[in-house]
Amino acid sequence: MTSETSGTGRAFGRVGIWSGALHPSRVDDAGRGAITEALAELEGLGYGTVWIGGSPTPGDAAAVVAATRTLTVATGILSIWNHTAEEVAAGVAAIDPEARRRFVLGLGVSHGPMVPQYAKPYSAMVAYLDALDAAEPSVGSGHRVLAALGPKMLKLAAGRSLGAHPYLVTTEHTAEAREALGPDALLAPELTVVLDTDLDRARTTARTMLGMYLQLPNYTDNLLRLGFTESDFDGGGSVRLLDALFALGDAEQVKRRTQEYLDAGADHVALQVLTAEEGGAGLPRAAWRELAEAFGDEL
């Protein structure tokens, strides 16, 4: 089904950029300058939203908001185990009030193998949202999204936030998530892109990233629910799995794949560009330009 873009969805735009390299706190002055230049270019290219991937800090979020003028800025995602709700609320409160309107706090429970204190993730998220609501000033439901995959977290996302930002999902999951969220909540899945028309080489690049995620039960459990099998996880991912999770090929193919997610019920798709040359890191500005040209005024 095709989702009618809500007012919330329109604030995000149809297509955004997800990047794990937008962390001013992790680089030197030259690196911060490169991030500022990249953000200015993304804004000029017409993308609706920039997602700060890779567990950003509240300070990272504030710096990216300050470096932009019109982009919606979202964390994709901030781990609830890394920062207390009170710390996050204080960080959000420190953002200029006018600019704060463009900021959305994306929250997630991360993964057991990565978090020593990981326990009862659903209950922990509920308690975290309660604390954000109680903070002064509060970071209420209209200013946050959840990294939801399973039915319980999707329901919580619909009831306690703008909606869901699922990571590493298929179009089938997007359709199921839309059904679970209802028609009004935001659904903004991430989609990883490899701009390479040599599909064997593109799949090799994709496997360099996917192999890590296939060690995390939250993702593998979700993929098993979607009908994949343990054999699909061997060797960094089967062709069937790779082709379902990634957009591989030229910019026009990425555009077609993005439309499949929109047709399945997404309001917005966050594109993460993965490059072999940079090992998946860095600021792939040439690729961002190529994609913007392909999408044109459909961004």
Side-chain angles (χ1 to χ4, degrees):
M1 71 180 184
T2 302
S3 172
E4 292 295 330
T5 304
S6 63
T8 297
R10 285 192 293 274
F12 279 73
R14 285 164 56 88
V15 180
I17 290 295
W18 192 106
S19 173
L22 301 174
H23 297 92
S25 66
R26 300 181 190 176
V27 294
D28 58 16
D29 286 345
R32 285 187 283 275
I35 288 173
T36 298
E37 290 178 8
L39 289 168
E41 181 167 20
L42 285 175
E43 205 154 45
L45 289 170
Y47 289 103
T49 299
V50 61
W51 295 83
I52 313 170
S55 299
T57 67
D60 289 328
V64 172
V65 172
T68 56
R69 297 178 298 105
T70 60
L71 276 170
T72 296
V73 175
T75 53
I77 52 81
L78 185 146
S79 171
I80 66 171
W81 310 104
N82 290 350
H83 308 277
T84 67
E86 292 74 18
E87 178 186 354
V88 169
V92 173
I95 298 172
D96 177 80
E98 270 304 306
R100 198 185 307 154
R101 298 178 183 179
R102 297 186 286 107
F103 176 65
V104 176
L105 177 65
L107 295 169
V109 296
S110 190
H111 306 274
M114 301 172 68
V115 180
Q117 68 269 41
Y118 192 88
K120 298 182 178 179
Y122 179 84
S123 298
M125 179 61 82
V126 170
Y128 202 94
L129 296 177
D130 290 343
L132 287 176
D133 288 342
E136 185 58 46
S138 68
V139 185
S141 61
H143 299 278
R144 60 200 188 205
V145 296
L146 304 188
L149 290 175
K152 284 183 66 177
M153 199 66 79
L154 285 165
K155 184 176 180 181
L156 184 67
R160 301 288 305 273
S161 77
L162 290 171
H165 174 50
Y167 187 92
L168 202 68
V169 293
T170 64
T171 55
E172 290 77 12
H173 181 275
T174 299
E176 293 178 10
R178 172 52 66 199
E179 188 71 22
L181 289 167
D184 299 325
L186 175 77
L187 178 54
E190 176 271 349
L191 173 61
T192 302
V193 169
V194 181
L195 284 172
D196 190 339
T197 55
D198 182 327
L199 291 183
D200 288 339
R201 189 170 59 203
R203 291 183 184 117
T204 296
T205 300
R207 285 189 178 100
T208 64
M209 167 192 159
L210 185 59
M212 179 191 74
Y213 291 108
L214 293 179
Q215 300 175 48
L216 301 175
N218 288 357
Y219 290 124
T220 54
D221 289 349
N222 190 54
L223 293 170
L224 292 171
R225 280 195 300 266
L226 290 167
F228 294 97
T229 66
E230 296 283 353
S231 64
D232 285 304
F233 306 153
D234 293 341
S238 67
V239 169
R240 178 172 82 118
L241 181 60
L242 291 165
D243 290 353
L245 290 175
F246 291 81
L248 309 173
D250 62 14
E252 287 300 323
Q253 175 61 13
V254 173
K255 184 178 177 181
R256 286 190 291 271
R257 286 284 285 140
T258 300
Q259 188 60 50
E260 290 173 7
Y261 283 80
L262 294 168
D263 289 343
D267 297 297
H268 168 93
V269 179
L271 300 179
Q272 176 181 188
V273 174
L274 184 66
T275 62
E277 293 78 10
E278 295 167 334
L283 299 165
R285 292 171 61 176
W288 294 344
R289 288 192 289 271
E290 186 177 348
L291 290 171
E293 183 176 356
F295 280 96
D297 60 8
E298 296 180 40
L299 287 177

